[in-house]
Amino acid sequence: MDRSKIHSAARLLAQSRQQGRFLNELPEELKPATFADAAAIQTETAHILDEPVVAYKVSGVDPAQVIWGAILGSRFLKHPAQLPAADVPLLGVEAEIAYLLKRDVAAGDRSLTIEQFDAMTCVVPAIEIVDSRFLSYEAAPAMDRNADFMSNGALVAGDPWSESVKTDFPTLRVRLSIVDQILAEAEGGHSAGDPRLPALAFLRAPHRPDHLPAGTVITTGTLTGLKYVQPGDTVTASFAGYGAIEISFTT
């Protein structure tokens, strides 16, 4: 995909965010054919918006095939968080485990072991807010959604769990709730089994960004499935033995 088409696709997605106008899908001539195209559109969109990328959502456990969505600085929120519901009208929520990099990751750091990963990260509890620049999240082509920061609307992060036991997380009990209504409960609900595996695959990926600064957060996918809420709701993700984080969607 040439630079002019990458820029044109990114400009449409950036304008959608700025103006609150939704797209049916990207025009045929601007559609990403590969994830490399989608990632380039993400990078250009962040540049047009003049936003730093401070975190990533990742999916997959094969370094050659892992995909990611950039999370912008303005959409990285600390617990307890508030966000206007109108900014993320899809209002999809997921409880997740994320990892905070304690040191820079360089281009040469693509053969990290799981032990090295454990030594260089802290566990961070997270709620991902799923949103879309497209009129229909479900109907939009998958690669278009990948170009749209992989449908990330925001990420809420709690304080790092510096004393956590890494092996707790394949069997961690998690609850997603609104006041006294349980949206989802799971024990070891991550599709990869161990949530470290997608983050490690991302760091090993030959096509990831070459430099990831200390402080970057990598969130690894849902433990509870994707659930939908309403304007005015306060969503709480509770992690057994570790506490809870929340976000309120203001009207």
Side-chain angles (χ1 to χ4, degrees), residues 22-38:
F22 294 97
L23 307 170
N24 286 314
E25 57 184 76
L26 289 172
E28 195 64 37
E29 69 275 12
L30 301 181
K31 285 185 175 299
T34 66
F35 181 72
D37 292 340

Side-chain angles (χ1 to χ4, degrees), residues 90-166:
L90 186 63
L91 288 176
V93 291
E94 301 176 343
E96 305 194 0
I97 292 294
Y99 295 91
L100 172 71
L101 295 180
K102 296 191 288 186
R103 68 164 177 85
D104 289 2
V105 174
D109 292 324
R110 285 186 162 94
S111 57
L112 295 166
T113 66
I114 194 72
E115 293 79 16
Q116 290 171 319
F117 176 85
D118 288 346
M120 63 186 285
T121 60
C122 288
V123 178
V124 175
I127 300 172
E128 188 194 359
I129 294 86
V130 177
D131 194 40
S132 181
R133 297 302 94 207
F134 301 104
L135 282 169
S136 172
Y137 166 72
E138 292 84 4
M143 204 60 74
D144 286 16
R145 296 200 306 265
N146 287 342
D148 180 29
F149 297 125
M150 224 164 83
S151 304
N152 175 260
L155 188 74
V156 180
D159 292 331
W161 296 338
S162 57
E163 302 303 318
S164 63
V165 178
K166 308 293 184 182

Side-chain angles (χ1 to χ4, degrees):
M1 194 170 183
D2 67 41
R3 287 293 308 165
S4 65
K5 290 183 178 180
I6 289 168
H7 178 78
S8 294
R11 188 176 60 213
L12 285 176
L13 291 168
Q15 288 174 342
S16 176
R17 286 177 174 264
Q18 292 167 327
Q19 299 170 7
R21 295 188 304 179
F22 294 97
L23 307 170
N24 286 314
E25 57 184 76
L26 289 172
E28 195 64 37
E29 69 275 12
L30 301 181
K31 285 185 175 299
T34 66
F35 181 72
D37 292 340
I41 293 170
Q42 290 186 38
T43 299
E44 184 66 9
T45 304
H47 176 73
I48 292 170
L49 293 170
D50 195 24
E51 284 259 24
V53 173
V54 300
Y56 295 88
K57 59 178 291 187
V58 300
S59 178
V61 297
D62 180 349
Q65 297 182 359
V66 66
I67 61 175
W68 62 84
I71 299 174
L72 304 176
S74 65
R75 296 304 181 97
F76 184 82
L77 311 174
K78 294 296 292 182
H79 156 78
Q82 289 189 340
L83 186 65
D87 287 356
V88 284
L90 186 63
L91 288 176
V93 291
E94 301 176 343
E96 305 194 0
I97 292 294
Y99 295 91
L100 172 71
L101 295 180
K102 296 191 288 186
R103 68 164 177 85
D104 289 2
V105 174
D109 292 324
R110 285 186 162 94
S111 57
L112 295 166
T113 66
I114 194 72
E115 293 79 16
Q116 290 171 319
F117 176 85
D118 288 346
M120 63 186 285
T121 60
C122 288
V123 178
V124 175
I127 300 172
E128 188 194 359
I129 294 86
V130 177
D131 194 40
S132 181
R133 297 302 94 207
F134 301 104
L135 282 169
S136 172
Y137 166 72
E138 292 84 4
M143 204 60 74
D144 286 16
R145 296 200 306 265
N146 287 342
D148 180 29
F149 297 125
M150 224 164 83
S151 304
N152 175 260
L155 188 74
V156 180
D159 292 331
W161 296 338
S162 57
E163 302 303 318
S164 63
V165 178
K166 308 293 184 182
T167 52
D168 282 355
F169 300 111
T171 57
L172 182 69
R173 286 182 291 114
V174 181
R175 174 182 293 176
L176 198 62
S177 60
I178 304 170
V179 191
D180 57 355
Q181 177 189 353
I182 298 173
L183 299 175
E185 286 186 296
E187 180 173 331
H190 198 282
S191 61
D194 186 339
R196 294 177 297 176
L197 298 180
L200 181 59
F202 173 62
L203 296 184
R204 288 174 170 172
H207 53 303
R208 69 154 166 86
D210 281 340
H211 179 249
L212 301 170
T216 298
V217 171
I218 304 166
T219 194
T220 60
T222 184
L223 301 172
T224 54
L226 174 60
K227 304 300 177 182
Y228 296 98
V229 297
Q230 297 297 319
D233 284 343
T234 294
V235 178
T236 302
S238 304
F239 302 84
Y242 290 98
I245 61 173
E246 68 177 37
I247 179 169
S248 298
F249 294 103
T250 58
T251 57

